[in-house]
Amino acid sequence: FEIRSSELALQRSQTADVRRFAEQMIRDHKTATASLQQAVADGGTLSAPAAELLPRHAEMMRQLEAVPASDRGAFDRLYMQQQ
């Protein structure tokens, strides 16, 4: 969810602080995902990250996507609240 919602934020937000936060979220979560995948590949007892969003996160993405493109302030507020 964090990566997908942050990618959407980069598409929709015009606010520099929100965009920087989204970029950081993408970097951090891609790094964490890669580390987890490596641990699984190395025979760790962890399970691989889920490919599908949890229902709660899918609903949160629907909420973000439903914000009118013209209401950038509302998108930014919702995105930041969800993180």
Side-chain angles (χ1 to χ4, degrees), residues 25-45:
M25 289 291 285
I26 291 168
R27 274 192 305 275
D28 290 352
H29 285 274
K30 283 187 175 185
T31 298
T33 298
S35 295
L36 181 56
Q37 289 171 333
Q38 187 61 51
V40 170
D42 290 345
T45 58

Side-chain angles (χ1 to χ4, degrees), residues 9-63:
L10 289 178
Q11 293 172 13
R12 304 266 307 264
S13 181
Q14 297 290 319
T15 307
D17 287 342
V18 173
R19 294 179 61 77
R20 275 192 296 274
F21 179 78
E23 289 168 347
Q24 186 65 47
M25 289 291 285
I26 291 168
R27 274 192 305 275
D28 290 352
H29 285 274
K30 283 187 175 185
T31 298
T33 298
S35 295
L36 181 56
Q37 289 171 333
Q38 187 61 51
V40 170
D42 290 345
T45 58
L46 303 170
S47 59
E52 297 294 320
L53 292 177
L54 296 171
R56 179 182 81 130
H57 290 146
E59 176 58 28
M60 292 166 75
M61 281 299 298
R62 280 190 288 278
Q63 291 172 3

